[in-house]
Structure formats: C-alpha cells, structure tokens
C-alpha cells in the first residue's frame, strides 16, 4: 500500500504479474480496508528523508499519528502481527553515545525536524498502547541510516547525494565541516534484521543499524575514491538541530535476534554506485 507521495511506481514495477503480490494505491492516514486474512501489517509509510519531511510537515505528522492508528486498527481487526518502522531520530541530537534502546532521547519538539521525530515517537507510544491495552502483537524497529540501490537521486540523504554528485562531477556538499558522524547500514542487512525481529517475540523497540561509525567527510572521500570522480568537496552551513553523532548500540539485536550486519561500507557503496551509474545513464 502506498500513495506515492514520495515513492514511485518504478520501484515495484518488477513485481507486477506476480500472483503472490497485490498493490493497493491508498493514503494510509485514511481508513483502510483489506479483504481476507492477514498475518502481518508492516507500517513503513512516511516521508523519510530530511528534504521530504521538511517539505511535507503536516503529511509527516499525519502518517505517523493517523496512519499508525489506522494500521494498528487493521492489525487488531485481523488478529495480525504489527511492525512499526521507527527511527534513530527518536533519539534526536543524542547526549548518550552510542544509543541503546533504553535512552529516551534529546529531541526539540518545535524545531523543523520535530515533525518527523515526534511523529515517530507518538507512533511508538501508540504501538505500545495497542500492545498493552488491546494485546496486539507488536514490534518496533528503530532504523538507523540505511542506504542501497533504488534510493531517489536527489532526496537529501547523504549517501545518494554524494554518489550522484560524484558521478556527475559536481561538488560534494558537506554540511558544516563534515565532522559529524553517521553509521550506514546496507539495505539487505536491514531487511534481514527486520525479518528476524518480526518473527521474534520482542515487543520493546529494537535498534537495527550498522555500528561502524564514519565522519561525513570520510564518507565523501570514500565515495570520490570509489567513483574515480574529480569532484571537489565544499562546505555549506549546518542545518538546524542536525545531530552531531549517531551510532546504534546493537547489543539487543545481537543477543535477541542473533543479528549482525554483514555488508561493510566499501561493498555496499560499490553496489549502490553501480545502481546510480545505470540510473543516471538512462
Ligand atoms: N532509510 C532509512 O535510513 C530510514 C531510517 C530510519 C527510519 N526509516 C523509516 O523506514 C520507513 C521506510 O523508509 P524508506 O527509506 O524505505 O523510505 P521510502 O521513501 O522509500 O518509502 C516510504 C514510502 O511511504 C510512502 N508514504 C508516505 N506517506 C504515505 C501515506 N500517507 N500513505 C501511503 N504511503 C505513504 C511514500 O510514498 C514512500 O513510497 C519510513 O517509515 C522511514 O521513516 C528509514
């Protein structure tokens, strides 16, 4: 189910004609009806990149609140298991590093990024309420920066930004001096972690992300080297409330799910660069 507010039909074109797949174009902030039995409801709908949620603040708050309410209602009515795609942004600009699930976060509710962070925090609270009050089987994954093929070229996420800029020979834009750190998880690792969590019996939030930490400048240098680009690196002013550090503590995922990321940055970047080379050439 998708209303394509930030997504695109091209991303699911390869599934057309698969008898085990059905697509419904629908805004999940509205009541949803699905015929037949359901085993699971996995709620991933949300504007997800900083550019998107700053441009779509109300839709972001609505899909985190009303959309989560409708998705939980569907799961409850079908007796289905529910999974919420939450985010490391619930930790805000963290004062604890790395971030374990027990950390309550440091979020500015009225800053520009608050629309996304608070929507996801509300979504987590609502999910736990359905779990405790209605007995719905719920799972919450706190996803840390994830990247891979089929990302949009200009959606404001740092990995795709840098790759496209490098391939086009444009300057790579660093916000601030690029000393802020991030950890980047390859999409296949994330999916494996989410699948394990969904099948587990853990209702409490669970971090899934790659704990290897890099500065954003190091990432830019790595992308330039791997693409063979001669692009320069330029610095731009740091956006408001940009987190300075971000790294998951994945002790829980390791212990409870037996999960560990396998794809290291170099390999993941190479696969993602290959995708963008083809996409840009088209
Ligand atoms: N990619 C990451 O690094 C990351 C990190 C943390 C959390 N997440 C979360 O994971 C989920 C998926 O992220 P993604 O990177 O795959 O993003 P994505 O943009 O590829 O997918 C999100 C989809 O949600 C759809 N959508 C938005 N509002 C909707 C609505 N009201 N009704 C129906 N569809 C709607 C969009 O059209 C889009 O196709 C999001 O909830 C995001 O917040 C992602």
């Amino acid at each position: 189910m998708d209303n394509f507010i930030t997504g695109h039909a091209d991303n699911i074109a390869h599934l057309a004609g698969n008898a085990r797949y059905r697509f419904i174009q629908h805004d999940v902030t509205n009541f949803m009806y699905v015929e037949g039995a359901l085993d699971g409801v996995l709620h991933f709908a949300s504007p997800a990149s900083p550019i998107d949620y700053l441009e779509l603040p109300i839709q972001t708050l609505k899909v985190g609140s009303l959309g989560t309410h409708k998705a939980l209602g569907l799961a409850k009515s079908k007796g289905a298991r529910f999974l919420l795609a939450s985010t490391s942004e619930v930790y805000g600009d963290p004062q604890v590093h790395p971030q374990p699930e027990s950390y309550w976060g440091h979020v500015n509710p009225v800053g520009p990024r608050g629309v996304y962070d608070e929507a996801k925090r509300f979504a987590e609270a609502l999910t736990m309420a359905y779990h405790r009050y209605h007995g719905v089987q719920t799972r919450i994954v706190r996803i840390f920066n994830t990247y891979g093929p089929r990302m949009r070229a200009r959606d404001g996420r740092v990995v795709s930004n840098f790759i496209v800029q490098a391939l086009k020979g444009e300057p790579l834009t660093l916000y601030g001096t690029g000393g802020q750190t991030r950890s980047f998880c390859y999409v296949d690792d994330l999916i494996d972690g989410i699948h394990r969590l969904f099948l587990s019996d853990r209702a409490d939030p669970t971090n899934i992300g790659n704990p290897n930490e890099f500065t954003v400048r190091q990432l830019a240098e790595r992308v330039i080297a791997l693409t063979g680009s001669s692009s320069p690196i330029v610095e731009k002013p740091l956006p408001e409330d940009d987190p300075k550090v971000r790294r998951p503590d994945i002790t829980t995922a390791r212990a409870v799910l037996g999960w560990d990321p396998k794809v290291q940055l170099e390999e993941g970047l190479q696969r993602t660069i290959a995708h963008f080379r083809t996409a840009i050439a088209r």
Side-chain angles (χ1 to χ4, degrees):
M1 209 175 261
D2 201 304
N3 65 350
F4 294 133
I5 189 169
T6 58
H8 202 280
D10 285 353
N11 287 332
I12 48 174
H14 59 291
L15 296 166
N18 184 331
R20 299 179 64 202
Y21 175 79
R22 183 153 64 101
F23 175 72
I24 302 170
Q25 186 161 346
H26 184 69
D27 178 343
V28 304
T29 62
N30 297 321
F31 175 78
M32 44 177 123
Y33 171 75
V34 179
E35 226 170 279
L38 287 181
D39 299 314
V41 174
L42 293 93
H43 176 30
F44 284 85
S46 176
S49 87
I51 287 188
D52 289 336
Y53 56 74
L54 295 179
E55 260 173 26
L56 302 164
I58 314 285
Q59 287 92 332
T60 303
L61 283 158
K62 281 177 75 178
V63 77
S65 53
L66 302 176
T68 304
H69 181 234
K70 302 294 177 290
L72 279 161
L74 180 65
K76 177 172 168 274
S77 72
K78 301 279 183 182
R81 187 171 287 184
F82 176 84
L83 180 136
L84 171 71
S86 185
T87 170
S88 57
E89 298 284 340
V90 299
Y91 301 123
D93 187 1
Q95 294 174 314
V96 169
H97 190 66
Q99 295 82 53
E101 289 88 351
S102 54
Y103 178 48
W104 291 355
H106 181 230
V107 171
N108 175 2
V110 294
R113 297 174 78 107
V115 297
Y116 183 67
D117 305 4
E118 295 295 1
K120 293 287 189 182
R121 287 166 69 96
F122 177 87
E124 287 197 5
L126 192 61
T127 301
M128 290 311 289
Y130 266 69
H131 173 64
R132 294 194 180 108
Y133 187 76
H134 288 308
V136 174
Q137 284 192 42
T138 58
R139 310 285 176 264
I140 298 175
V141 55
R142 289 186 179 153
I143 303 172
F144 283 66
N145 264 340
T146 297
Y147 70 99
R150 297 211 198 103
M151 293 177 80
R152 264 162 46 226
R154 305 247 173 219
D155 82 349
R157 294 192 233 194
V158 64
V159 176
S160 45
N161 262 8
F162 284 170
I163 293 178
V164 172
Q165 289 168 334
L167 290 176
K168 292 198 164 173
E170 297 167 2
L172 274 67
T173 40
L174 275 192
Y175 294 101
T177 59
Q180 66 274 43
T181 68
R182 297 289 184 271
S183 49
F184 305 100
C185 185
Y186 188 67
V187 63
D188 292 7
D189 282 331
L190 176 78
I191 300 299
D192 177 39
I194 290 175
H195 187 225
R196 285 170 192 247
L197 176 64
F198 184 74
L199 298 179
S200 78
D201 56 9
R202 183 179 161 84
D204 287 332
T206 307
N207 290 340
I208 298 283
N210 191 318
N212 288 340
E213 193 177 3
F214 297 87
T215 66
V216 175
R217 181 175 287 277
Q218 283 172 326
L219 175 73
E221 289 165 351
R222 200 67 72 87
V223 168
I224 289 176
L226 288 172
T227 50
S229 170
S230 50
S231 292
I233 294 177
V234 297
E235 292 181 12
K236 291 236 170 123
L238 203 60
E240 202 177 325
D241 297 331
D242 192 52
K244 288 176 249 339
V245 289
R246 189 56 76 59
R247 176 184 170 196
D249 179 330
I250 57 165
T251 311
T252 306
R254 282 188 172 129
V256 178
L257 310 177
W259 177 84
D260 231 325
K262 296 189 178 62
V263 182
Q264 290 315 320
L265 188 67
E266 198 91 357
E267 189 189 341
L269 283 179
Q270 275 164 346
R271 292 190 205 170
T272 311
I273 289 168
H275 158 80
F276 277 112
R277 270 195 209 285
T278 322
I280 288 173
R282 266 206 303 264

